[in-house]
């Protein structure tokens, strides 16, 4: 028996790529496809939470995907009225902070990570930010928000 995450058991549920960072580190990237089932999406979430434990953000090198996800989180969870319970809100914060950590190796010109694991409003706000900003932005308040949110994973 292997520890293969459920989402990897059906090749139509994910895309797989390998990349090399500018400093020469090789990494693997998995993305869910629109064919992913709810169980596959849950499996991907659990994998992301697990991988984030061994990841870290670089506050001086946040890419636009990290910024987009944080901006969406900030607006939806902290500025807008939403119907999430306190527990669901906290779970979403942990998931987003985990995703932000795992996005650290992405370059600004990569294709955007899919957002099937997030709330629909988060997905919308994330995509809107990426359309408005094709490169990372210099926003100290957003950087400080990302750093603060990352602390919930420690």
């Amino acid at each position: 028996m292997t520890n293969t995450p459920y989402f990897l058991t059906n090749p139509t549920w994910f895309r797989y790529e390998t990349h090399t960072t500018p400093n020469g580190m090789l990494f693997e990237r998995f993305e869910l496809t629109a064919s992913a089932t709810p169980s596959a999406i849950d499996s991907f979430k659990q994998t992301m939470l697990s991988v984030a434990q061994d990841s870290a953000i670089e506050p001086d090198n946040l890419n636009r995907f990290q910024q987009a996800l944080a901006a969406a989180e900030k607006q939806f969870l902290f500025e807008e009225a939403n119907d999430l319970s306190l527990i669901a809100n906290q779970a979403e914060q942990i998931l987003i902070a985990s995703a932000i950590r795992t996005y650290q190796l992405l370059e600004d010109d990569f294709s955007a990570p899919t957002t099937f694991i997030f709330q629909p409003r988060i997905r919308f706000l994330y995509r809107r930010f990426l359309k408005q900003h094709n490169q990372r932005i210099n926003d100290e308040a957003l950087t400080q928000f990302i750093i603060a949110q990352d602390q919930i994973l420690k």
Side-chain angles (χ1 to χ4, degrees):
M1 180 120 180
T2 66
N3 288 331
T4 303
Y6 179 71
F7 78 90
L8 293 177
T9 63
N10 185 329
T12 64
W13 293 340
F14 69 94
R15 277 189 315 273
Y16 171 77
E17 306 169 343
T18 58
H19 293 280
T20 304
T21 63
N23 66 359
M25 186 172 87
L26 184 68
F27 71 96
E28 300 174 310
R29 179 179 179 193
F30 293 91
E31 288 295 327
L32 291 175
T33 67
S35 300
T37 64
S39 295
I41 293 169
D42 287 342
S43 169
F44 191 89
K45 284 181 186 182
Q46 292 308 310
T47 301
M48 177 147 325
L49 293 169
S50 178
V51 168
Q53 295 172 13
D54 297 325
S55 304
I57 60 168
E58 296 175 22
D60 295 332
N61 186 30
L62 297 170
N63 62 55
R64 72 188 193 106
F65 305 114
Q66 292 170 297
Q67 292 176 330
L69 194 49
E73 172 191 21
K74 185 177 180 195
Q75 182 173 336
F76 178 68
L77 296 180
F78 298 101
E79 296 171 1
E80 296 180 350
N82 65 61
D83 61 355
L84 297 179
S85 69
L86 178 61
I87 292 171
N89 190 300
Q90 291 171 335
E92 196 73 11
Q93 286 181 55
I94 290 168
L95 179 62
I96 291 171
S98 296
I100 288 171
R101 278 187 176 185
T102 66
Y103 288 4
Q104 186 63 58
L105 297 176
L106 302 180
E107 297 294 323
D108 287 336
D109 60 350
F110 282 11
S111 61
T114 59
T115 55
F116 299 116
I117 63 172
F118 303 113
Q119 296 284 328
R121 180 72 175 151
I122 297 280
R123 294 191 308 246
F124 170 80
L125 294 168
Y126 169 83
R127 287 190 301 265
R128 185 176 73 185
F129 183 98
L130 292 176
K131 284 180 184 174
Q132 293 171 345
H133 307 283
N134 62 357
Q135 295 181 0
R136 65 187 71 194
I137 61 172
N138 184 9
D139 184 331
E140 187 58 32
L142 185 57
T143 297
Q144 291 306 312
F145 176 80
I146 292 169
I147 292 168
Q149 288 302 106
D150 188 67
Q151 296 302 307
I152 66 175
L153 299 179
K154 296 188 180 206

